[in-house]
Amino acid sequence: MVHWSAEEKQLIASIWGKVSVEECGAEALARLLIVYPWTQRFFDNFGNLSSPTAIIGNPKVRAHGKKVLTSFGDAIKNLENLKATYSKLSELHCEKLHVDPENFRLLGDILIIVLAAHFGKDFTPACQATWQKLVGVVAHALAHKYH
Amino acid sequence: MVLSANDKTNVKAIFGKIGGHAEEYGAETLERMFAAYPQTKTYFPHFDMAKGSAQIKGHGKKVAAALVEAVNHIDDIAGALSKLSDLHAQKLRVDPVNFKLLGHCFLVVVASHNPAALTPEVHASLDKFLCAVGNVLTAKYR
């Protein structure tokens, strides 16, 4: 069981409260597909991913990014119980989607960079440290049911 | 993984924007890395880790200078960092995984100070460049 201090919960809430799930989600997923192009392997049916411009403008990328970050929001609401919260999603990613859990770590780090770009100085080292812990724990929970 | 002509242009451009702030970025990169990844502090048991520490500033300056040197010799990073590569292999022996952590924190610093300049394409190029630097520094490990 992961322990979250009051300060960590505050740092998470203060950032999350100001995040546009749609914008940040779309940007994070687009950057994942651009910076680590091999991640495109999971999105054959997304249409045009042939250039950064195409990826950024792709409506399926935007929609899926929003979906992913919305789910992240569920994690934040259930910090004390992440493994249970993500149990079914973990099974899905393993059994149906066949996603290497390394990709969760890559996306987590990209999200951190997107947050840094949005929040600038407010994304302090302490803030980053808390969010690195959060994305790590989310990635771990998502990988937990893999077999 | 090879740096394309575009990557080189992007990296030179963003370092141009960073300009004289490189040393400051180096120090902030280390500060963030030590905060987010406490295990990295094991390589600096002799350091004062307090905020604004002279040692962190000094070491940040060294790290930044090495990155700038690599940018200035981007066609031959291995050549430019050969002595540093020897040092890391023979003396420092920092586990290779830590270069990824440092690179990530450098990206976070650049993103927080220059969000408009760190477009997805530049982000990709800079990430590749930082990987290349890490690869050079660990190339002689075994």
Side-chain angles (χ1 to χ4, degrees):
Chain A
M1 245 278 287
V2 180
H3 174 72
W4 300 91
S5 71
E7 195 200 342
E8 286 171 331
K9 289 184 191 178
Q10 213 283 310
L11 286 171
I12 291 169
S14 74
I15 292 284
W16 191 248
K18 300 180 200 130
V19 162
S20 155
V21 165
E22 178 158 6
E23 282 312 312
C24 273
E27 195 180 341
L29 187 62
R31 281 182 186 255
L32 181 75
L33 299 173
I34 292 165
V35 177
Y36 307 113
W38 55 93
T39 57
Q40 293 170 25
R41 70 191 298 283
F42 301 108
F43 303 103
D44 276 341
N45 63 333
F46 267 30
N48 187 3
L49 298 178
S50 59
S51 71
T53 310
I55 291 170
I56 293 165
N58 185 311
K60 285 190 172 173
V61 171
R62 292 192 69 84
H64 195 67
K66 180 180 175 185
K67 188 176 184 184
V68 169
L69 209 62
T70 301
S71 169
F72 205 84
D74 291 339
I76 292 178
K77 286 195 215 103
N78 291 282
L79 285 179
E80 310 296 336
N81 203 6
L82 263 174
K83 290 207 172 91
T85 304
Y86 273 179
S87 179
K88 286 264 169 308
L89 255 185
S90 180
E91 285 170 8
L92 177 77
H93 281 77
C94 172
E95 292 159 16
K96 284 260 155 57
L97 306 177
H98 310 295
V99 177
D100 178 349
E102 179 59 22
N103 293 286
F104 308 143
R105 292 176 250 291
L106 289 179
L107 182 62
D109 277 351
I110 294 261
L111 177 62
I112 300 255
I113 289 168
V114 168
L115 293 177
H118 278 246
F119 291 96
K121 277 202 318 276
D122 289 346
F123 197 65
T124 62
C127 212
Q128 181 189 349
T130 298
W131 274 80
Q132 296 286 174
K133 180 177 169 179
L134 176 61
V135 301
V137 163
V138 167
H140 186 78
L142 265 177
H144 191 246
K145 280 298 186 3
Y146 271 57
H147 57 90
Chain B
M1 179 205 57
V2 165
L3 293 178
S4 70
N6 248 24
D7 289 327
K8 294 177 186 179
T9 303
N10 286 341
V11 170
K12 282 179 182 288
I14 191 118
F15 267 82
K17 291 224 167 65
I18 292 171
H21 293 284
E23 291 180 0
E24 196 188 300
Y25 283 24
E28 192 182 332
T29 296
L30 290 176
E31 190 194 342
R32 284 181 180 275
M33 189 183 70
F34 292 145
Y37 309 106
Q39 68 274 21
T40 57
K41 293 188 290 186
T42 58
Y43 292 97
F44 303 93
H46 50 297
F47 264 30
D48 165 19
M49 290 295 179
K51 191 165 164 70
S53 128
Q55 284 171 311
I56 295 186
K57 279 204 173 100
H59 197 67
K61 207 171 150 180
K62 274 194 204 161
V63 170
L67 289 177
V68 168
E69 184 72 0
V71 174
N72 290 339
H73 297 90
I74 204 162
D75 291 325
D76 182 18
I77 298 175
L81 300 187
S82 178
K83 290 223 161 46
L84 256 186
S85 179
D86 291 338
L87 181 73
H88 282 77
Q90 291 155 20
K91 186 149 175 279
L92 304 177
R93 291 167 294 182
V94 173
D95 191 284
V97 72
N98 295 288
F99 296 98
K100 284 203 178 129
L101 304 181
L102 182 72
H104 170 66
C105 288
F106 185 75
L107 280 169
V108 170
V109 172
V110 173
S112 73
H113 289 269
N114 304 273
L118 196 72
T119 63
E121 294 94 322
V122 171
H123 176 172
S125 298
L126 191 52
D127 190 81
K128 278 173 81 174
F129 167 75
L130 293 165
C131 279
V133 169
N135 287 344
V136 162
L137 289 178
T138 57
K140 301 177 197 176
Y141 273 31
R142 57 177 174 170

